[in-house]
Amino acid sequence: MTNGFFILLQVVAAVVGMYQVVLSLFGLRRRHRTKEHPPTKSFAVLIAAHNEEKVIAPLIENLKHLDYPKELYDVFVICDNCTDRTADIAREAGAIAYERFEPEKRGKGYAIEWMLGQLWKRPREYDAVVMFDADNLVSPNFLQVMNNKLCEGAKVVQGYLDVKNPFDSWVSISYGCSYWYTNRMWQLARYNLRLPNALGGTGVCVETALLKEIGWGATSLTEDLEFGVRCVMRGVYPTWAHDARVYDEKPLTLKASMRQRLRWMQGHFDCFHRYFWSLLRESLRKRNLAMFDSALYLFQPMRMLIVLLTTGMLYFQVFSPGFFELTNISTLFPNWFWVSMNIFLFGQLPLAMLLERVPLKALLGLVILPVFTLTWFPVTTAAFFTRKNRVWDHTLHTRAIRLDEIRSR
């Protein structure tokens, strides 16, 4: 029984991994660009902020100078339980600041839900809502690209997530390598295949009519993942905007990074528990690949735990021979197969970065990326045992970078 269960775990992990490997091949090329449409869509730009007085001004300044008609968008800052000057600085910079004080409901999900209620009370109506984090910077063409997508019929659009400070530390460059790979081999690949794209928490554009129809309703620690899954279950598939960039500040230390990723994984496990089985069941009943792909995305943290568990069992067998006999399925394939697979898997990372035309010095980050990747295992394990946690943990941002500094790279 033990060996049969062990083989099953290995097969599940291998099949899910191979599925992603095959899909990543479709990220090697870019489909034709969306047709350029005249700017007609209006936007409510929401910035979720909690004690962000040190970074909020550059983002508002950035948003005020987008290449889009100023009369077609307004910038709102959700000052969520702030105890600093975030609201004052936001107003001085030209944004419309809303202050919210509900300590028992802290977090971006709750803040967005509250802000949408305030937005619907305003006399002006917008065609879409765009969401950013306070530490972000945005490419000047962002709203124009979203306008094009909406004119083409999209209802939910995710912008390209880039890193604002990749060269600040070994942790931030590891984030950069991960994001550049994900943008190309996960997001672009799914866009090319017309599969749902994952929402990344910022740089998200949602049609107002859809928000009013289904509500926000995403208050978990990963509100982006939760809202995206709810959309897919309703047959609304988020799409991708490769040319609309959002630059996000990443932690500099391993401790801060692990705290942030712990929150992400706790929210991911929460969404897995609530949506995975119903989504998988519907995908099989309807023979719907889009739903199946979203279900596998929810399964990813569980796959990581399976890999950790099976690896541990194999090492235990090596150091305790005769305790039980386990079948390692890797021995069922010739060595050349695994060598080829590893070359392909590890070759995807530098290939994705070269295709994305990142600075060549960023390739040095690949040397330390394996160390950063290994830290996902304790984070994911801790998240599994604390998955019922709903307390939001704020990531501190302190560096006020401006768009010109990023461009100068």
Side-chain angles (χ1 to χ4, degrees), residues 90-379:
R91 293 186 182 107
E92 291 168 5
I96 304 168
Y98 275 76
E99 297 183 74
R100 170 182 177 267
F101 297 97
E102 290 187 66
E104 68 284 359
K105 291 185 177 181
R106 294 176 62 243
K108 189 164 67 172
Y110 287 113
I112 290 172
E113 188 167 54
W114 176 85
M115 184 63 213
L116 290 175
Q118 307 304 310
L119 199 62
W120 305 154
K121 297 175 185 177
R122 293 179 64 89
R124 181 176 184 181
E125 295 187 0
Y126 302 90
D127 295 306
V129 174
V130 176
M131 304 173 195
F132 296 113
D133 290 338
D135 61 296
N136 294 162
L137 291 173
V138 183
S139 61
N141 67 335
F142 192 93
L143 289 184
Q144 179 58 50
V145 175
M146 294 301 162
N147 173 80
N148 295 340
K149 294 288 184 179
L150 292 172
C151 289
E152 294 290 325
K155 295 181 180 294
V156 184
V157 187
Q158 173 63 59
Y160 186 109
L161 295 182
D162 210 335
V163 178
K164 187 164 72 170
N165 58 328
F167 303 113
D168 282 359
S169 75
W170 75 273
V171 173
S172 62
I173 189 58
S174 297
Y175 270 106
C177 294
S178 303
Y179 270 63
W180 293 320
Y181 166 78
T182 302
N183 287 328
R184 189 80 193 197
M185 300 304 194
W186 278 70
Q187 298 283 43
L188 183 61
R190 281 166 171 78
Y191 171 71
N192 286 338
L193 290 168
R194 292 180 172 83
L195 292 173
N197 286 104
L199 300 184
T202 186
V204 178
C205 175
V206 186
E207 185 186 61
T208 300
L210 177 65
L211 279 171
K212 289 186 174 181
E213 176 190 342
I214 70 174
W216 177 246
T219 56
S220 68
L221 295 180
T222 48
E223 76 295 328
D224 50 341
L225 175 61
E226 184 178 1
F227 183 74
V229 169
R230 290 179 59 230
C231 287
V232 171
M233 294 182 73
R234 288 175 172 264
V236 178
Y237 303 150
T239 190
W240 178 247
H242 204 77
D243 295 314
R245 298 209 172 209
V246 181
Y247 299 91
D248 191 37
E249 181 182 332
K250 294 305 175 189
L252 303 184
T253 66
L254 183 60
K255 180 180 179 180
S257 165
M258 293 183 76
R259 286 178 58 188
Q260 182 186 66
R261 288 180 288 152
L262 176 64
R263 172 169 57 84
W264 290 351
M265 288 296 99
Q266 287 170 335
H268 205 129
F269 276 118
D270 179 37
C271 289
F272 170 83
H273 174 73
R274 289 193 286 154
Y275 297 108
F276 173 75
W277 293 109
S278 57
L279 191 57
L280 181 62
R281 184 170 56 251
E282 282 297 293
S283 71
L284 297 176
R285 186 177 69 84
K286 296 180 178 179
R287 298 180 182 178
N288 187 304
L289 180 59
M291 289 184 175
F292 182 76
D293 182 71
S294 295
L296 288 191
Y297 183 70
L298 286 176
F299 186 74
Q300 289 300 324
M302 287 300 299
R303 178 183 179 272
M304 187 172 292
L305 289 183
I306 290 173
V307 170
L308 181 62
L309 176 62
T310 53
T311 303
M313 291 174 72
L314 284 173
Y315 275 110
F316 182 79
Q317 180 177 242
V318 170
F319 293 107
S320 302
F323 188 81
F324 46 56
E325 292 296 325
L326 298 176
T327 301
N328 185 351
I329 64 170
S330 66
T331 61
L332 304 178
F333 297 87
N335 289 335
W336 65 263
F337 174 81
W338 295 112
V339 170
S340 302
M341 285 300 301
N342 283 321
I343 291 175
F344 179 75
L345 285 172
F346 289 104
Q348 282 187 335
L349 281 161
L351 178 59
M353 293 168 67
L354 290 172
L355 290 172
E356 290 305 287
R357 299 180 180 179
V358 302
L360 289 178
K361 65 179 180 178
L363 293 172
L364 296 175
L366 296 175
V367 177
I368 54 178
L369 183 61
V371 178
F372 182 80
T373 301
L374 287 175
T375 65
W376 276 104
F377 288 103
V379 166

Side-chain angles (χ1 to χ4, degrees), residues 74-110:
D74 292 317
V75 179
F76 299 87
V77 177
I78 316 166
C79 305
D80 183 36
N81 294 288
C82 291
T83 56
D84 63 358
R85 295 190 63 249
T86 297
D88 295 334
I89 294 173
R91 293 186 182 107
E92 291 168 5
I96 304 168
Y98 275 76
E99 297 183 74
R100 170 182 177 267
F101 297 97
E102 290 187 66
E104 68 284 359
K105 291 185 177 181
R106 294 176 62 243
K108 189 164 67 172
Y110 287 113

